[in-house]
Amino acid sequence: MDAPSPQPRLATQSVRFLPAEGSAPVEWIIRDGLTPYPEALAWMEARVDAIARGEAGEAVLLVEHPPLYTSGTSAQASDLLQPDRFPVFAAGRGGEYTYHGPGQRVAYVLLDLKRRRQDIRAFVSALEHWVIDTLGQYHVRGERREDRVGVWVPRPDRPPLPDGSPAEDKIAAIGIRLRRWVTFHGISLNVDPDLTHFSGIVPCGISGYGVTSLVDLGLPVSVPEVDSVMRARFETVFGPTVTRPFEAA
């Protein structure tokens, strides 16, 4: 007997995670080139503390990293299959191992939940909705799974999995951390990374599934093109944004 298909949790237009009335727009910051991971981490640490003290506004930092692996607080050593392939960094976020590299848009989301809702589950749901809504603009059906973190794309063009369930690939990862109700870390969306680089880890500790990207799905898009869509869809979920230049921590 075939195994039952995993039940998707689809985004709905009712998902909103807006700030309190009168709040300043979220600063939308894009750093060009490849950002070393320690620099991004230092920037987040400093900015989170400043937000918590009321000395800085909420922000989203969008970067690309050189090829690297990060480990979350639940990472298992056995899931790092090729420890010498790329540098490995302890991220401090929730989750397990993930890959970052060129062609993947990483969005670090620093929001003050005291200005919104002190509800971590609702925040994660809003992040998922943001990614799924972004994919929807490209007519890609992104789905969530109750038992697997991230955003998944059904692959009916591929043979079913060994247990008979439909094939599906992961297209985006989510991992967050909170300090004094300020969020940091965030999401990574595969636009056009080298998908073979994921083979050095068990992504997010989940084996048996593939990894895909927008380009792998046949969409000839670039990271800057996707940025504009991500920003528009972010605003529908989290509220207005304003462009700011990147300033090092």
Side-chain angles (χ1 to χ4, degrees):
M1 179 182 296
D2 290 346
S5 301
Q7 294 301 307
R9 292 187 293 129
L10 301 178
T12 68
Q13 292 302 314
S14 63
V15 175
R16 297 290 185 270
F17 206 79
L18 299 174
E21 187 175 353
S23 297
V26 177
E27 296 182 14
W28 190 263
I29 305 167
I30 298 177
R31 186 175 185 185
D32 295 327
L34 299 181
T35 300
Y37 190 77
E39 289 186 20
L41 199 59
W43 186 90
M44 283 193 288
E45 292 278 351
R47 185 63 179 249
V48 163
D49 288 343
I51 294 171
R53 294 193 302 267
E55 298 172 359
E58 298 177 308
V60 175
L61 174 65
L62 294 97
V63 304
E64 291 178 83
H65 289 302
L68 58 91
Y69 298 129
T70 67
S71 62
T73 54
S74 301
Q76 303 293 319
S78 58
D79 288 340
L80 182 59
L81 306 178
Q82 299 176 17
D84 299 324
R85 185 170 184 177
F86 298 125
V88 181
F89 297 94
R93 54 161 173 77
E96 303 187 40
Y97 283 104
T98 192
Y99 166 77
H100 295 315
Q104 181 191 71
R105 175 50 90 199
V106 178
Y108 293 122
V109 182
L110 286 69
L111 300 182
D112 186 353
L113 299 195
K114 296 189 301 295
R115 306 179 193 178
R116 297 171 181 267
R117 277 185 282 162
Q118 291 173 270
D119 186 333
I120 299 171
R121 186 181 296 273
F123 171 65
V124 172
S125 179
L127 290 176
E128 292 171 331
H129 176 87
W130 173 31
V131 174
I132 291 171
D133 201 13
T134 297
L135 295 174
Q137 305 308 301
Y138 293 101
H139 305 288
V140 172
R141 181 184 176 90
E143 298 178 352
R144 297 171 280 193
R145 298 288 179 251
E146 294 290 351
D147 59 342
R148 282 182 267 125
V149 70
V151 176
W152 299 80
V153 176
R155 300 302 301 267
D157 55 314
R158 296 192 177 169
L161 299 175
D163 66 358
S165 59
E168 54 189 15
D169 291 340
K170 190 172 188 176
I171 196 169
I174 297 174
I176 66 165
R177 185 177 177 185
L178 271 74
R179 180 181 299 153
R180 296 167 62 186
W181 288 105
V182 179
T183 70
F184 56 126
H185 298 280
I187 70 163
S188 57
L189 174 62
N190 297 333
V191 180
D192 188 23
D194 185 335
L195 297 178
T196 67
H197 289 177
F198 286 90
S199 63
I201 58 172
V202 178
C204 299
I206 303 169
S207 59
Y209 296 90
V211 181
T212 192
S213 67
L214 288 170
V215 170
D216 181 54
L217 293 171
L219 295 160
V221 295
S222 66
V223 171
E225 289 174 310
V226 174
D227 284 347
S228 62
V229 177
M230 289 181 69
R231 184 173 186 174
R233 306 328 299 170
F234 178 91
E235 291 185 336
T236 67
V237 179
F238 296 100
T241 64
V242 60
T243 301
R244 289 286 186 266
F246 175 80
E247 296 181 359

